[in-house]
Amino acid sequence: MQALGRHILAEVYGCKFEVLNDIKKVEDIMINAALEAGAEVREFVFHKFSPQGVSGVVVISESHLAIHTWPELGYAAVDVFTCGDKVDPWDACNYLAKHFGAEYVNATEVKRGIIEQGQEERLVVNI
């Protein structure tokens, strides 16, 4: 079976407060993670919360990268969803972990849009 996309759900722990609480740093790291993985960045939007925290999304031609940070806990919830074979979401995930100064990452890959080989027009749905 073939998947339309790969979705990495990452729990990123032990990150630096000053990075996770800085909207410009988070934005730059997220955009550069997409570029590092070979994605084509289309748009991005980020929001800074009070007293701390940042949420944002980078829309790429291949899908998206999204984040929400809890700087006071050194934690970020990240998802990297890519479609096609051109972009490896793990490259983006590893870039993020490194630049957030993570001590530990727990990440899972979910295959999205599983298709039966030879029947690309029919999606397999398990209910």
Side-chain angles (χ1 to χ4, degrees):
M1 289 195 196
Q2 179 185 6
L4 295 175
R6 300 165 65 193
H7 197 162
I8 307 296
L9 304 172
E11 307 288 308
V12 187
Y13 298 97
C15 301
K16 298 174 185 170
F17 178 94
E18 63 275 8
V19 175
L20 293 185
N21 202 43
D22 185 320
I23 188 170
K24 186 63 177 148
K25 285 181 184 175
V26 172
E27 179 181 294
D28 288 346
I29 291 169
M30 292 287 287
I31 291 168
N32 286 322
L35 295 172
E36 181 76 15
E40 182 179 339
V41 174
R42 292 296 185 164
E43 296 183 50
F44 53 89
V45 62
F46 287 83
H47 176 79
K48 174 78 168 74
F49 292 96
S50 181
Q52 66 250 343
V54 174
S55 283
V57 64
V58 177
V59 177
I60 57 177
S61 294
E62 301 80 8
S63 195
H64 72 272
L65 289 77
I67 189 167
H68 186 76
T69 73
W70 285 262
E72 70 279 17
L73 301 175
Y75 169 75
V78 174
D79 54 295
V80 180
F81 184 16
T82 63
C83 299
D85 298 328
K86 178 185 156 204
V87 178
D88 186 342
W90 288 106
D91 290 344
C93 236
N94 291 330
Y95 183 94
L96 293 170
K98 177 182 176 184
H99 288 85
F100 289 146
E103 294 174 2
Y104 175 73
V105 177
N106 182 11
T108 303
E109 180 174 333
V110 177
K111 303 288 188 207
R112 304 297 302 269
I114 303 295
I115 299 176
E116 290 184 34
Q117 291 212 347
Q119 298 182 355
E120 272 89 45
E121 72 283 349
R122 199 172 120 216
L123 294 177
V124 176
V125 179
N126 295 318
I127 299 176

